[in-house]
Each structure stands twice: as structure tokens, then as C-alpha cells.
Amino acid sequence: AFGPTITSFVRPEPVPNPQDFVLWSFFNSMFCNPFCLGFTALVFSIKARDRIIAQDLPTAGSYGRTAKHLNIAALCLGIVATITCITLFVYY
């Protein structure tokens, strides 16, 4: 009446941790810090790292994305300011 029991094991997909961009934020806060964007990115990066340790991955992802966008803005503005200063220096 009863046959063999078949058990299947489904291995869950590993969920990657969100990135926190702490090194990039630290670089931008030291070298490319227009309008304090690098420092603000560093704050959000540290918040993201704290949320990763607390296993709150959605909030960590949100803080990480904010840090990434602030880092991109700080780096672009820093590069533009550097090129402008070099150009003005060479021109005069």
C-alpha cells in the first residue's frame, strides 16, 4: 500500500550581499570632495556596511546605491574641476 518515499532537496540560490563602496567613498572624501559629496557618500557607505552586518539587505542595498550615485557625482565634478583648473593655469 505504501511505496518508497522520494525526497527532493532544492538548494536555495545564494543571495549576493549588496555592495557598500567604502573604499571608493574614502578616496572621494580625501581627493574629490566637491560640495562634500565624498563625505556624504562615505556616511552612506558606512550605513550600508552596518545594515549588511545586521542582515538587513534591502536597506543596505538602498544605502549602497545612494553611496554609488554620490560617488559618481563627486568623481565627475572632481574631474571637471581638475580639468578646468589645469586649462585655466595653462591658458594664463
Side-chain angles (χ1 to χ4, degrees), residues 3 8 13 21 24 26 31 34 36-38 49-50 52 60 62 71-72 75 78 83 85 87 92:
S8 63
E13 296 277 332
F21 303 104
W24 190 13
F26 185 72
F31 300 111
C36 293
L37 290 175
R49 183 165 284 187
D50 289 343
I52 289 171
S62 174
N71 280 323
I72 290 170
L75 189 63
I83 290 172
C85 288
T87 304
Y92 289 113

Side-chain angles (χ1 to χ4, degrees), residues 34-64:
F35 308 114
C36 293
L37 290 175
F39 179 72
T40 308
L42 184 62
V43 169
F44 276 100
S45 296
I46 292 171
K47 284 183 177 185
R49 183 165 284 187
D50 289 343
R51 292 288 92 203
I52 289 171
I53 292 171
Q55 295 297 316
D56 186 9
L57 299 182
T59 307
S62 174
Y63 285 145

Side-chain angles (χ1 to χ4, degrees), residues 69-81:
H69 294 142
L70 288 170
N71 280 323
I72 290 170
L75 189 63
C76 289
L77 287 174
I79 288 171
V80 167

Side-chain angles (χ1 to χ4, degrees), residues 2-31:
F2 295 102
T5 304
I6 298 173
T7 306
S8 63
F9 178 73
V10 177
R11 195 175 275 188
E13 296 277 332
V15 177
N17 283 338
Q19 293 182 331
D20 53 13
F21 303 104
V22 171
L23 293 176
W24 190 13
S25 299
F26 185 72
F27 172 81
N28 280 338
S29 66
M30 290 293 116
F31 300 111

